[in-house]
């Protein structure tokens, strides 16, 4: 008989590619993870992982078991949801991980809604970039992620997750008031090819949006200054050290002295924001109201 907790460990190893990283995500020791993998191999009668200098990879037998693991764990999530519904689970804590502007745009308004509509649900919020929040959901560190589509992100049909689209927003060009394009109604990205750029670090989903938009305009941005804090990005632009693309919601309430904000000429680069939960958990009586509140907040934003 295969133990479900060992399937959790197998999936974590497949996601993180090393025993050490999987152990850290699961709050276990590497030796405990290795022992559980060995036990799983004994239960199945197959070698499931191969260890090498670059980490761990699944064997063909391991890949077969992983494909079933997604379905088994999703079904267990559904079972927990139905049991919670049967027990009228109307009170409890739901942990939501979201990036800063997502917190302001939809999470905080959703928390306010839930205080009236579902006062028994307590929300704990953690600030995490979109590329960090999805692994946190998969590793069961949080219940809900508010994340951004990015290159390399789990697809909408990923068998491990259920995606709930929330909103899409454009990026605007931010240039110093002395910039040659500051007086125009729009900014053509191609004309910024030779400018120094300010932007998020690689790994931040917004970095991908900026780089892809510039690539589509025919150039690679020369990123001379890096910050994941858009207030810092705008401050640097106001100091006349470069240009930037910033999500529109991040500019709300910000001090824009020294810069000009203009829409991008043509098709604006856009970030698409969604909520994600472990597949099968979307029907849980504590999580379902949170997803509904997030959707409602996004519609009102």
């Amino acid at each position: 008989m295969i133990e479900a907790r060992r399937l959790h460990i197998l999936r974590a190893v497949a996601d993180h590619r090393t025993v050490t990283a999987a152990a850290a995500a699961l709050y276990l020791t590497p030796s405990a993870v290795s022992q559980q993998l060995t036990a799983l191999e004994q239960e199945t009668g197959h070698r499931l992982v191969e260890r090498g200098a670059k980490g761990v990879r699944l064997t063909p037998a391991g890949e077969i078991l992983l494909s079933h693991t997604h379905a088994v764990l999703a079904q267990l999530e559904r079972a927990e949801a139905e049991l919670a519904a049967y027990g009228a689970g109307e009170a409890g804590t739901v942990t939501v991980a979201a990036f800063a502007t997502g917190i302001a745009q939809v999470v905080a308004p959703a928390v306010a809604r839930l205080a009236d509509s579902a006062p028994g649900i307590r929300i704990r919020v953690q600030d995490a970039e979109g590329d960090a929040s999805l692994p946190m959901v998969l590793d069961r560190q949080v219940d809900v992620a508010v994340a951004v589509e990015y290159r390399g992100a789990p697809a909408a049909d990923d068998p491990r997750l259920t995606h709930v689209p929330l909103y899409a927003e454009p990026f605007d060009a931010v240039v110093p008031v002395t910039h040659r394009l500051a007086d125009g109604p729009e900014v053509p990205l191609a004309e910024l090819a030779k400018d120094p750029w300010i932007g998020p670090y690689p790994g931040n989903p917004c970095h991908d949006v900026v780089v892809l938009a510039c690539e589509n305009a025919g150039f690679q941005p020369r990123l001379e200054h890096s910050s994941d804090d858009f207030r810092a990005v705008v401050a640097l632009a106001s100091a006349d050290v470069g240009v930037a693309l910033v999500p529109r919601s991040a500019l709300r309430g910000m001090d824009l002295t020294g810069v000009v904000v203009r829409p991008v000429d043509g098709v604006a680069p856009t970030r698409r924001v969604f909520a994600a939960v472990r597949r099968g958990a979307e029907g849980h009586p504590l999580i379902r109201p949170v997803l509904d509140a997030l959707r409602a907040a996004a519609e009102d934003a």
Side-chain angles (χ1 to χ4, degrees), residues 171-277:
F171 281 57
D172 289 325
V174 177
V175 301
V177 291
T178 57
H179 195 275
R180 63 189 182 281
L181 300 178
D183 293 334
E186 297 179 328
V187 172
L189 278 186
E191 294 190 27
L192 299 177
K194 295 183 179 180
D195 285 82
W197 279 73
I198 313 156
Y201 284 100
N204 185 315
C206 289
H207 174 90
D208 286 347
V209 175
V210 171
V211 171
L212 184 60
C214 293
E215 289 175 351
N216 289 338
F219 69 97
Q220 284 284 339
R222 180 161 52 91
L223 284 162
E224 292 197 357
H225 310 279
S226 298
S227 175
D228 288 335
D229 186 332
F230 286 115
R231 289 170 299 181
V233 170
V234 170
L236 287 168
S238 70
D240 201 9
V241 299
V243 299
L245 289 174
V246 177
R248 188 164 292 171
S249 66
L251 294 167
R252 293 175 184 167
M254 193 181 294
D255 181 5
L256 300 177
T257 303
V259 298
V260 169
V261 178
R262 295 287 183 266
V264 172
D265 185 23
V267 179
T270 302
R271 70 172 173 183
R272 291 172 175 80
V273 179
F274 62 94
V277 299

Side-chain angles (χ1 to χ4, degrees), residues 98-99 101-103 105-107 145-149 163-169 171 206 247 249 270-276 294 298:
F99 56 99
T101 51
I103 292 173
Q105 186 92 340
V106 292
V107 177
V146 175
V148 178
E149 291 181 3
H163 282 219
V164 178
L166 294 178
Y167 65 93
E169 66 171 326
F171 281 57
C206 289
S249 66
T270 302
R271 70 172 173 183
R272 291 172 175 80
V273 179
F274 62 94
L294 288 169

